[in-house]
Amino acid sequence: MALKALLVVALFGATGDPTFPATMTEQPSLAACQAQARAAVEALAALHGEKAMPNLLKGGRFAAVEDERGVWVIRYDRQTRTDPERGEPAVGRTIRATCRTIEG
């Protein structure tokens, strides 16, 4: 049997509780799922910028990255507390996506 993957995308509030029910979609392969996870996290971060990336550095960039658990999150440049013109890397965890293999 060919291995398929299940993409799970979820939005979380400040307390870490899910804001909405997670969406789950079947993908034809793990590679396709990883690409969809990255795209979904980046698209949702662009839509939910202020909540997903507090204190984003003016002109700062963001990108989806996969953490050590296989969860896609946003890494972005945020303002430092001492100087709003300087940035430091941060990770936003309000938007998350992950892929899990399933038999199909």
Side-chain angles (χ1 to χ4, degrees):
M1 290 187 152
L3 285 181
K4 293 183 179 184
L6 183 66
L7 170 62
V8 181
V9 179
L11 299 175
F12 292 84
T15 60
D17 295 325
T19 306
F20 302 103
T23 61
M24 293 179 265
T25 55
E26 192 174 302
Q27 300 295 319
S29 68
L30 187 57
C33 187
Q34 297 287 18
Q36 287 290 334
R38 180 180 187 147
V41 168
E42 288 181 350
L44 286 169
L47 290 173
H48 298 277
E50 290 180 8
K51 292 179 184 176
M53 301 173 286
N55 301 324
L56 181 64
L57 181 67
K58 185 176 181 178
R61 298 169 25 129
F62 66 91
V65 295
E66 189 175 17
D67 71 8
E68 66 280 352
R69 298 172 300 145
V71 177
W72 287 88
V73 293
I74 286 293
R75 181 176 293 144
Y76 65 100
D77 297 326
R78 73 172 170 195
Q79 297 174 349
T80 61
R81 293 179 185 194
T82 56
D83 184 359
E85 299 299 316
R86 293 184 50 213
E88 62 185 1
V91 173
R93 299 192 182 274
T94 57
I95 300 169
R96 303 178 206 168
T98 189
C99 295
R100 297 294 180 249
T101 56
I102 55 175
E103 291 185 17

